[in-house]
Amino acid sequence: MLAVYQKRFLASALAAEALRFGEFTLKSGRKSPYFFNAGAFCDGEALTVLAQAYAAAILRLREEGVAFDVLYGPAYKGIPLVAAVAVVLFAEHGLSLPWAFNRKEAKDHGEGGSLVGAPLADKRVLILDDVLTAGTAIRESLAVLRAAQAQPVAVIVALDRQETVDGGGSALSRLAQDENLTTTSVVTLDDLLQFVGNDPRLTAYLPAMQDYRQQYGC
């Protein structure tokens, strides 16, 4: 059963057109019957709901015993995300966590470098990202963090598409295995299928999504 924060997140994604249905060509070349774009959470209300959903997932991780010191948002979508999540965690849960992000291009003036925010050296870092497809972008973030002498310990994404990647398993499960990380998501494709199946406005999309899950799901 979907948690309240998961229902609110998916409803907000639908309203903001961050979640769309139709036919979309992914970077992998696969034809997907749905598309998710966290960049469409681009007003105050939508961003708040998104941040609240991540905050709930973070609290769940803490309850499961995953320890971390700093939140990290990869440029560019991760920057407003990590800031909003840090605000929600403190404002609604009394949990004040340091946060940081990177620049795509390092500065050669002022404070310099490519990292902004809380110091990362010798810190356990939780990475917040939107969707993991092949894992390439996350691995770039891992390289940046390790070069800064940080210890990445966990990754949270908004949506786990639960699709097979080369070598078997999903992108999230492969990342966890290859990099010795804890990985989780706000929602999974299974959660999305449940949400679609429970909404009369969306049930027409369910067969195509189930076929896609059957073909590419792990």
Side-chain angles (χ1 to χ4, degrees):
M1 180 177 292
L2 294 174
V4 171
Y5 75 87
Q6 292 174 315
K7 293 177 183 176
R8 290 189 67 226
F9 164 71
L10 288 171
S12 179
L14 193 63
E17 296 188 347
L19 174 63
R20 293 185 290 153
F21 299 94
E23 183 176 292
F24 306 91
T25 302
L26 306 180
K27 287 183 180 179
S28 63
R30 294 173 179 175
K31 301 288 186 181
S32 174
Y34 73 99
F35 186 74
F36 178 79
N37 172 26
F41 286 85
C42 54
D43 63 33
E45 180 180 0
L47 182 58
T48 298
V49 173
L50 178 65
Q52 288 170 332
Y54 272 87
I58 288 170
L59 295 176
R60 187 181 69 225
L61 274 184
R62 284 168 56 90
E63 290 171 0
E64 293 170 356
V66 179
F68 44 85
D69 308 304
V70 182
L71 305 177
Y72 176 80
Y76 290 103
K77 289 180 183 178
I79 297 174
L81 174 62
V82 72
V85 170
V87 169
V88 166
L89 282 170
F90 179 68
E92 299 186 6
H93 304 285
L95 178 61
S96 181
L97 288 174
W99 57 280
F101 61 91
N102 70 306
R103 299 186 182 95
K104 290 283 190 179
E105 305 83 17
K107 284 180 65 176
D108 58 4
H109 60 280
E111 74 276 18
S114 62
L115 293 170
V116 182
L120 295 174
D122 301 319
K123 300 296 184 182
R124 297 166 297 183
V125 179
L126 169 61
I127 302 170
L128 310 183
D129 211 346
D130 55 351
V131 178
L132 192 68
T133 304
T136 305
I138 285 287
R139 285 182 168 83
E140 291 174 357
S141 293
L142 295 175
V144 168
L145 292 170
R146 287 166 179 158
Q149 300 182 322
Q151 179 189 356
V153 295
V155 174
I156 296 180
V157 297
L159 172 65
D160 178 4
R161 293 182 62 96
Q162 296 180 305
E163 293 183 26
T164 54
V165 294
D166 292 342
S170 71
L172 266 187
S173 65
R174 285 293 302 279
L175 182 70
Q177 180 180 351
D178 294 347
E179 304 289 349
N180 192 29
L181 296 169
T182 297
T183 59
T184 191
S185 61
V186 173
V187 294
T188 65
L189 175 56
D190 287 339
D191 296 324
L192 179 55
L193 286 169
Q194 183 179 339
F195 179 79
V196 170
N198 290 336
D199 190 329
R201 300 169 300 169
L202 304 177
T203 51
Y205 300 111
L206 192 57
M209 294 186 65
Q210 289 172 329
D211 288 346
Y212 188 81
R213 180 80 164 95
Q214 183 67 29
Q215 184 174 5
Y216 296 117
C218 57

